[in-house]
């Protein structure tokens, strides 16, 4: 591997995006999630779900491959896309107008994009829920919420967000981090400060 500009991982497979816009993938391949389509090029970003892979092209279209049992690889018709995210069995795509498309498994409401969602600048798919950052630094989340992982009321000044199965984290403009920590018997927000670089 050389000239790699970004990487992405699925459940048991990995991908690397090269500076020339091509992609290399390796790892588990039981659903062809590591079989990069022939001729794939002009790629700007990559994302990996549990058993599927996504690639965003410079023309705003998306190519997908791998498992599609929930429609998580249904990218036909997507256009004007500027960012992609995949986790579990669902995927998110951010349009240039700040709106979001979601597709795939929906057993927890993770693809039920709120009707009034707009001005989105960053997207993140978790296994059971979805999170976005708006241009004003606020966060919206939807999907599974049994541990409060979709409760975003009062969160502002956010520049980055990340999510796992039951835990979400955001980084604020001032460099502080807010981590939602879930343990077996409780659910609480833990505040921590990180060094400003």
């Amino acid at each position: 591997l050389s000239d790699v500009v970004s990487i992405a991982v699925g459940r048991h497979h990995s991908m690397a995006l090269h500076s020339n816009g091509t992609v290399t993938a390796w790892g588990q391949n039981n659903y062809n999630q590591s079989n990069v389509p022939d001729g794939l090029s002009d790629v700007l970003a990559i994302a990996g779900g549990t058993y599927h892979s996504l690639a965003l092209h410079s023309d705003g279209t998306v190519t997908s491959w791998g498992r599609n049992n929930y429609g998580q690889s249904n990218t036909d018709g997507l256009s004007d896309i500027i960012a992609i995210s995949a986790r579990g069995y669902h995927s998110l795509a951010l349009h240039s107008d700040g709106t979001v498309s979601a597709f795939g498994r929906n057993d927890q409401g993770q693809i039920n994009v709120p009707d009034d969602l707009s001005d989105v600048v960053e997207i993140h798919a978790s296994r059971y829920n979805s999170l976005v950052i708006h241009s004003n630094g606020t966060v919206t989340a939807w999907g599974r919420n049994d541990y409060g992982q979709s409760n975003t009321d009062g969160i502002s000044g956010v520049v980055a967000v990340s999510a796992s199965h039951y835990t979400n984290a955001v980084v604020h403009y001032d460099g502080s981090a807010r981590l939602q920590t879930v343990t077996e018997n409780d659910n609480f927000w833990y505040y921590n400060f990180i060094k400003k670089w």
Side-chain angles (χ1 to χ4, degrees):
L1 283 176
S2 61
D3 297 319
V4 173
V5 294
S6 69
I7 54 174
V9 296
R11 185 170 184 177
H12 298 295
H13 74 289
S14 303
M15 294 182 289
L17 173 61
H18 301 274
S19 60
N20 65 357
T22 62
V23 175
T24 300
W26 64 97
Q28 189 178 55
N29 198 36
N30 52 335
Y31 294 102
N32 295 313
Q33 63 267 40
S34 294
N35 284 352
V36 177
D38 291 338
L40 190 75
S41 62
D42 295 320
V43 176
L44 296 180
I46 51 177
T50 296
Y51 299 115
H52 70 290
S53 304
L54 305 176
L56 171 63
H57 299 277
S58 59
D59 65 357
T61 61
V62 179
T63 296
S64 59
W65 62 97
R67 194 171 189 185
N68 195 36
N69 56 326
Y70 295 105
Q72 63 267 40
S73 295
N74 287 346
T75 57
D76 292 342
L78 284 177
S79 61
D80 297 319
I81 304 301
I82 59 173
I84 53 175
S85 181
R87 183 67 65 90
Y89 299 99
H90 80 288
S91 306
L92 301 176
L94 175 60
H95 297 267
S96 59
D97 65 358
T99 61
V100 174
S101 290
F103 42 99
R105 188 174 182 174
N106 198 36
D107 59 326
Q108 302 291 329
Q110 60 266 51
I111 68 167
N112 293 342
V113 178
D115 291 338
D116 58 348
L117 194 75
S118 62
D119 296 320
V120 174
V121 295
E122 185 177 329
I123 54 176
H124 191 92
S126 179
R127 182 169 182 178
Y128 300 114
N129 68 335
S130 302
L131 296 91
V132 301
I133 300 176
H134 300 275
S135 59
N136 65 359
T138 60
V139 177
T140 298
W142 62 94
R144 190 170 181 170
N145 197 36
D146 52 340
Y147 291 105
Q149 60 266 50
S150 291
N151 291 340
T152 59
D153 293 343
I155 300 176
S156 62
V158 174
V159 294
V161 64
S162 184
S164 185
H165 286 48
Y166 307 108
T167 305
N168 300 329
V170 297
V171 177
H172 298 276
Y173 289 113
D174 63 3
S176 62
R178 183 174 182 171
L179 174 66
Q180 181 187 32
T181 304
V182 177
T183 63
E184 183 178 358
N185 297 314
D186 59 10
N187 171 28
F188 60 92
W189 284 96
Y190 174 75
Y191 288 86
N192 188 24
F193 289 91
I194 61 173
K195 180 179 179 181
K196 294 182 181 179
W197 296 96

